[in-house]
Amino acid sequence: MQSVKTNAIVLRRTNYGESDRILQLLTADGNKVSAMARGVRKEKSKLAGAVELFSLTQVTLDSGKSDLSILTSARLETFFGDILNDYDRLQFGYEVLKKIGRLSEHTHEPLLYDVTLTALASLNQSKIDLRIIRAWFYLQVADISGHGLNLSRDSSNKPLSETEKYRFDIAEMSFVTDPRGNFTADHLKLLKVLKLKTPAVVAHISGIEVLLDDITSLAHAVSE
């Protein structure tokens, strides 16, 4: 057997047999690994506390004869427990793990791990507006999936202007000049910042509250 030690985030847990669990782990190199945690549901298991959802854990995995690795050790690095204190943040935390789980089926890169870790760390900070975290995460997912927002040119391939208003055409995945559109230069500036900076940084920008509902709705649409 080969052993691998790495930091990992638990994406999903499935009970197996009387006391085991099968874990879906996202490792630091952006790979999704399925691992058997034997006896983890027993009362005195040394592994149990380190493989909760919303945890960053250092794991040791042994490769077996099948595609299923064996979890031989787990040491908790960080538990983002404050997520559990707010229902809306908790539900979005589940969504983060689910979306990353699906995306990691066909995408393997460290950015997946980085985005997941940043999302969980941000959700753990109650002072960060949830809309900022949602918009940031959706934009990152869209970029990783290969259909990120074009924030330089409109549907006619003209440079986006600070003096125009726009609506977003989801079918064309682009902004369209429209005097009645609800996207302004301020929206475009915030979208650019969200693509480049973490939620913790964006949270310090003043005056963005009035933009966040439109931004979050758009980011969600392009991430689907």
Side-chain angles (χ1 to χ4, degrees):
M1 284 189 178
Q2 287 186 330
S3 291
V4 175
K5 181 179 288 187
T6 180
N7 282 347
I9 299 167
V10 180
L11 297 177
R12 185 178 176 183
R13 306 180 305 173
T14 304
N15 290 343
Y16 184 83
E18 294 185 359
S19 60
D20 302 338
R21 275 199 177 113
I22 296 175
L23 308 175
Q24 282 189 353
L25 302 171
L26 182 68
T27 61
D29 58 2
N31 286 314
K32 184 164 71 173
V33 177
S34 293
M36 175 69 75
R38 290 174 175 160
V40 73
R41 290 156 55 206
K42 291 182 179 179
E43 185 177 347
K44 296 183 179 180
S45 172
K46 295 180 180 180
L47 299 175
V51 290
E52 298 292 330
L53 296 179
F54 310 128
S55 296
L56 172 62
T57 303
Q58 185 182 88
V59 299
T60 301
L61 302 171
D62 285 351
S63 59
K65 296 180 180 179
S66 68
D67 292 336
L68 193 64
S69 298
I70 305 299
L71 180 71
T72 57
S73 71
R75 187 182 71 190
L76 182 66
E77 298 288 338
T78 307
F79 177 52
F80 301 107
D82 287 343
I83 295 175
L84 307 179
N85 298 329
D86 183 282
Y87 178 80
D88 291 333
R89 298 174 100 80
L90 176 61
Q91 292 305 305
F92 187 65
Y94 289 140
E95 183 178 345
V96 166
L97 299 183
K98 186 175 181 179
K99 275 186 174 290
I100 293 295
R102 289 200 303 262
L103 193 55
S104 61
E105 293 288 347
H106 50 81
T107 303
H108 307 102
E109 59 171 275
L111 186 56
L112 283 174
Y113 173 85
D114 295 339
V115 166
T116 308
L117 189 57
T118 299
L120 296 181
S122 301
L123 286 169
N124 204 53
Q125 300 181 53
S126 60
K127 292 183 179 180
I128 301 179
D129 192 312
L130 180 56
R131 294 174 296 175
I132 293 175
I133 304 170
R134 287 169 59 89
W136 176 88
F137 177 74
Y138 290 141
L139 290 172
Q140 306 308 310
V141 167
D143 280 344
I144 294 172
S145 301
H147 48 80
L149 281 175
N150 184 343
L151 295 174
S152 60
R153 294 187 173 273
D154 64 16
S155 59
S156 300
N157 203 32
K158 296 179 181 178
L160 293 173
S161 170
E162 293 187 359
T163 60
E164 297 282 1
K165 285 187 175 182
Y166 297 92
R167 60 179 171 83
F168 189 76
D169 187 330
I170 192 67
E172 296 293 329
M173 288 294 289
S174 61
F175 289 97
V176 179
T177 303
D178 187 340
R180 296 172 296 179
N182 57 337
F183 291 101
T184 65
D186 288 337
H187 290 90
L188 299 177
K189 289 176 183 176
L190 180 55
L191 283 166
K192 290 178 180 178
V193 173
L194 281 164
K195 283 170 69 91
L196 297 173
K197 304 295 184 180
T198 65
V201 172
V202 178
H204 287 94
I205 303 174
S206 60
I208 64 173
E209 291 78 13
V210 296
L211 308 173
L212 287 175
D213 286 340
D214 288 337
I215 291 290
T216 304
S217 178
L218 171 61
H220 182 252
V222 300
S223 72
E224 292 297 295

